[in-house]
Amino acid sequence: MDLSALSEAVIQGNIEKAKELTQQAVDAGEDPQILLDQGLIMAMDTVGENFAKGLLFVPQMLRSAKTMQECLAILQPHFQAGSVTSKGKIVLGTVKGDLHDIGKNLVAMMLEGAGFTVVDLGVDVAPEAFVKAVSEEHPNIVGMSALLSTTMPSMADTVRALSEAGLREAVQIMIGGAPVTAQYAEEIGADRYAPDAGSAVIKAKKLVASA
Amino acid sequence: MKLLSEEQIETVDRTARRILDEVGVKVLDENVRDRLAAAGVPVQADERVRLEGPWLDARLQEAPCRFTLFSRDGKNDIALGSGRCHFGNGGRVFQILDMATQGFRPTLLRDVANTAALVDRLEFIRFYIIACQAHDLSPAHYHRNDFYQAFARTTKHVMGGVDSLEGARQMHALAARIAGGEDTLREKPFVSVITNPISPLTLDGESLRILEFCGRKGIPATCAPAPISGATAPATLAGTLAQLHAEALAGVALAQFLVPGTPVLYGAVASTMDLRTMNLAIGSVETAMINTCSVDLAHRYGLPIYASAGITDAMLPDIQAGFEKGVSNLMLGMAGADFIHLAAGMLDSGNSIALEQYVIDNEILGMTERILRGIRVSDGTLALEAIARVGPGGNYVTDEHTVENMFEEFFYPTLAVREQYDRWTELGSPTPQTKAHDWVEDTLRRSELRLDAALVEDLRNRFPEIVDP
């Protein structure tokens, strides 16, 4: 089957068109794994390359990611249980005392677009809430965000809480946000620092691959 | 933007007309004086010609209000009198700044080629004025060569000053050959000529002969006065404006007298003198103010204006260059000037250029054009539907309204630093200057001729005096 129309719709971020094409293909009895691999994921690879080259803006890339997610929802019931593998799972939140969420939401959207399963804990997330989520969700990565330099210490508190709960070795920790630096990540014992949403995806992929 | 009321503009205009009538202009050419006298214009023994109101108005009415300065590929045609602003560079400087060494050297023919190649690629620099003197050229075939390098490197409209009637002939022969004939060139002139009167109130013979030659060949021209307030014009803005207006009108009127109906731009290249030192202050705020007001004076007569902005006294592409250029570009743009020269590449009171400055100015001009485009207000841009769709607490990043509007709505600078601190240091702490330098290097390395190979061969055979830069 020619999947170029579906790929093009994903690249264009045309949600309705992509959903329609996916549904048609499923109804026609196409293999969902082929639709996923050769239609959706290959399209997202192109999107990622174009974004890296500066040919696409963030909203375009996110729309493509959203398009892929919606198509994936159509495919999901047609896979046998467990046959679709996620790139990895990440528990994400803005740390305690901080209510800023746009940056964290961008990271979440981009990670989902890249095939990660994201558990978004929202804003003002206390260390114990991170600990609880890690013990229940068993993620590969914990991602923390802070916009204020005054809330950055919550990141250190969370790392400490995970250690005390005996969960530190089970996860990789990635942090980001305007005042956060690579040096700070090192100081508090986080594994990675990502300066923006695009690099968060790249670093998350590397963290999962190296784990 | 209006700095003068309608009434004040009228007063300045009235004064300028009195200057032309009562003081007169000196015409340093016996032949033209004789022809004027024969037409009934009062000519005095001291070579002064008095331009009386009715004669002046009759000449000005013959000047076209709308005409086009064509590009060779039709992509950057400049429709004068359309209400649109077109910014471009300025010319005939004598030295160039080497950013790598921060040193200056005399300009050469290759600098003409390089600046033309850059302007060709810089979107907001809408035309190319031959940027500098080529000190490595012999005078005999000077304009054959500087115009050739301009045509060879850009398809945008080329304007240039010429030293002599012979220079104008050389330029015309070359352009006509490229156009495929004199008539084709006359129909769509992709080249035009700058002449200047001498302030105060003097027109020299060679400038008039060049104007007449251009008129007969259908080559658009300007006769642009460049009075300096405090030196060659009164030390008041109103006085300088009145004299400038008189000189500009005299230029247009005489061009029409020589060749009725010839496409000619009202010219205004005012500046001020820093009277503390007698240094030119062409980046002064008063320079910008006078040039801004000249737009209304030209438009009072329905004449498209060759205006001036974006010029600086700064030596380097620095903060002073940025603020002086930014202010005057915006003022002239908001005044609605048709054709704004000097707005790219220049430094050092118009004595120097820097290749990097063209790129920086392109960005300033992009910002200026964005402001001039204004704010679109419609049901679509007011976005009530999108606001309802996103709702309280959501975000617009992935909403379709964002993707639909984001390209047209925002100007995306390429030199301005917007990186986050970490990313910026990772990139080596770039500045607009360093980014411009990299762009220049890359662009010149990849630049190609804008004349096809067969035409180049034809031109080189026909005009063996053309040399390589």
Side-chain angles (χ1 to χ4, degrees), chain A residues 57-60 62-63 66 101-102 105-106 109 178 180-182 193 195-196, chain B residues 393-403 406-407 412 420-423 426:
Chain A
F57 290 16
V58 172
Q60 291 170 298
L62 292 177
R63 268 190 82 75
K66 200 165 157 185
D101 70 347
I102 182 98
N105 290 349
L106 283 177
M109 282 188 271
V180 180
T181 61
Y193 154 72
D196 54 47
Chain B
N395 72 64
Y396 294 87
V397 184
T398 57
D399 194 83
E400 62 203 70
H401 186 268
T402 302
V403 179
M406 65 185 183
F407 297 111
Y412 295 97
Q420 292 171 330
Y421 176 78
D422 296 341
R423 179 76 188 127
E426 241 174 67

Side-chain angles (χ1 to χ4, degrees), chain B residues 350-371:
Chain B
N351 291 321
S352 303
I353 48 172
L355 298 181
E356 292 77 6
Q357 191 64 52
Y358 287 85
V359 194
I360 296 167
D361 289 335
N362 183 64
E363 186 141 310
I364 298 176
L365 297 177
M367 293 167 68
T368 308
E369 283 201 11
R370 174 64 192 89
I371 292 168

